[in-house]
Amino acid sequence: MVILTSVLATGALTLTACGSRDDNGGSDNSGGDTTTLTIGVDAPLSGENSTTGLGIQYGAQIAVDDANKNKLVPGVTFKLKAYDDKAQPATGQSNATAITGDKTAVGAVGPLNSGVAQTMQQVFASAKMVQISPSNTAPELTQGKDWQSEKKRPFDTYFRTATTDELQGSFAADYAYNGLKKKKAFVVDDKQTYGAGLAKIFNEQFKKLGGKVVQTDSVNTGDKDFGSLVTKIKNSGADLLYYGGQYDESALLTKQMKDAGVKIPLFGGDGMFATTYIEVGGAATEGDLATAIGVPADTLPAAKSFIETYKAKGYKGDYGAYGAYSYDATTAIIKAVKAVVDANDGKVPGDINDLRAKVVEEVQKSDFEGLSGKVAFDEYGDTTNKQLTVYQVEKGAWKAVKTGTANLG
């Protein structure tokens, strides 16, 4: 448990520079004073999944830099503070506690992994602080554990700019059956919230379309040797391997599978959509597929400047999967702060707890054109942007082969 200072405990918002106070305890920005507000970003910045995690960090950083440069909120300077969760739920929870314990923090972007998000949501809800993930896709995060029978939002502080596995798994199943004309799938997952959930939905939808799931199996995150699994796949007669999980294991699995003479494509979700998958798997990845949220960033006119900046700064990681969605998530928080300040006669509310609660309310009202398209949230906190893309490895690079929305009928 974090022990807060007396300043934080009373909710007072400290100003940087020589900020003055108005009679109502707010920060008067009319005279050129500056209030520094922090946005936390949590993702795996080292170890497993760090390629995509770094894309989230730097997508958020560019959004903060743009907001400060353009003085989006007069009198307010935004600062990004990055936290490395190493794709570990317990670490993510500790990071959430650290973020909410920062008396200048108004919101958080992240995490990457749905399993990590499950440990963070309550922490942010208790602090009445907004959390927006650019990548979480597990339906239960916004619609509750019984989402398939009764949708009920667990936390009104949690939002996401990524669409759900319900849509992604269905989209993949439709493309596998109707696009690739595959009839027999072997389905594998990594036992994690994201991977198992995605694999389950693909399994259900593929069979509903008329396909046959010849066998299912699971691996552990961190596994390196998939020899016994490859033998099962080879003997199953499957014409497609569907994998629910991240690129760390799937890149090794496809390489070992192809080396053993099993020449069928591996199809996965957005957790696989990273340049690292191709770099690690090499030539074995040719023809493999992955679904990803939204449309290709390099096809969006609004994202052109973002991509140029990312490359010019020499930022590490891969912006392709979630960079634009992280930018939009961060911008949603910043625009919410602006709405709160505008409604308060141009002043930042003096009570940090009051500011946080009002930011949550304004994020729910989000309605703007972002890099990834329209940024708005439904009653569950889910994005209203339901576009998805299937990518296939062609000549050593991901190439979009289908863009659309999932049909759940």
Side-chain angles (χ1 to χ4, degrees), residues 1-208:
M1 190 71 177
V2 174
I3 300 174
L4 306 182
T5 64
S6 59
V7 174
L8 176 55
T10 59
L13 183 61
T14 304
L15 300 183
T16 60
C18 52
S20 62
R21 312 292 296 179
D22 72 350
D23 292 337
N24 298 316
S27 306
D28 185 353
N29 298 314
S30 59
D33 302 314
T34 300
T35 302
T36 297
L37 297 178
T38 302
I39 296 174
V41 59
D42 175 89
L45 308 179
S46 63
E48 289 190 2
N49 312 155
S50 59
T51 295
T52 41
L54 289 166
I56 290 174
Q57 176 187 350
Y58 293 121
Q61 184 65 62
I62 294 172
V64 165
D65 291 344
D66 283 351
N68 289 335
K69 177 183 177 182
N70 298 322
K71 293 181 170 46
L72 192 61
V73 187
V76 174
T77 297
F78 291 95
K79 179 179 72 173
L80 193 77
K81 187 168 183 180
Y83 295 79
D84 181 7
D85 63 33
K86 299 179 173 63
Q88 298 297 318
T91 305
Q93 186 175 44
S94 295
N95 290 347
T97 300
I99 293 169
T100 56
D102 181 347
K103 61 184 178 294
T104 68
V106 291
V109 175
L112 167 68
N113 307 88
S114 292
V116 176
Q118 288 179 321
T119 68
M120 303 176 80
Q121 287 179 303
Q122 183 63 65
V123 179
F124 287 114
S126 297
K128 294 182 173 58
M129 182 188 287
V130 69
Q131 172 192 12
I132 310 179
S133 172
S135 56
N136 293 164
T137 53
E140 57 263 39
L141 293 172
T142 49
Q143 300 169 23
K145 59 183 177 63
D146 299 320
W147 63 271
Q148 288 180 302
S149 57
E150 181 184 8
K151 290 180 171 63
K152 184 177 180 181
R153 187 175 185 177
F155 303 100
D156 63 6
T157 52
Y158 178 86
F159 301 80
R160 55 179 157 202
T161 50
T163 194
T164 70
D165 289 335
E166 180 182 19
L167 298 177
Q168 188 175 189
S170 299
F171 194 63
D174 177 74
Y175 189 75
Y177 187 80
N178 294 313
L180 300 175
K181 307 299 181 185
K182 301 298 184 181
K183 306 302 179 188
K184 295 185 291 182
F186 193 114
V187 179
V188 177
D189 69 76
D190 64 358
K191 303 179 185 177
Q192 301 300 302
T193 301
Y194 161 73
L198 186 60
K200 181 176 183 290
I201 293 166
F202 176 90
N203 188 326
E204 293 170 351
Q205 294 297 319
F206 190 71
K207 289 189 289 189
K208 186 182 291 187

Side-chain angles (χ1 to χ4, degrees), residues 338-387:
K338 176 176 172 53
V340 173
V341 171
D342 286 349
N344 194 44
D345 297 325
K347 302 165 189 173
V348 178
D351 187 309
I352 186 64
N353 299 314
D354 179 43
L355 174 58
R356 289 174 176 178
K358 288 178 176 175
V359 167
V360 172
E361 294 174 5
E362 293 300 334
V363 166
Q364 183 66 64
K365 302 174 190 175
S366 295
D367 186 2
F368 65 94
E369 286 298 323
L371 300 188
S372 60
K374 182 72 168 289
V375 178
F377 304 101
D378 65 17
E379 68 269 33
Y380 303 105
D382 282 325
T383 178
T384 59
N385 183 353
K386 308 297 186 185
Q387 288 186 304

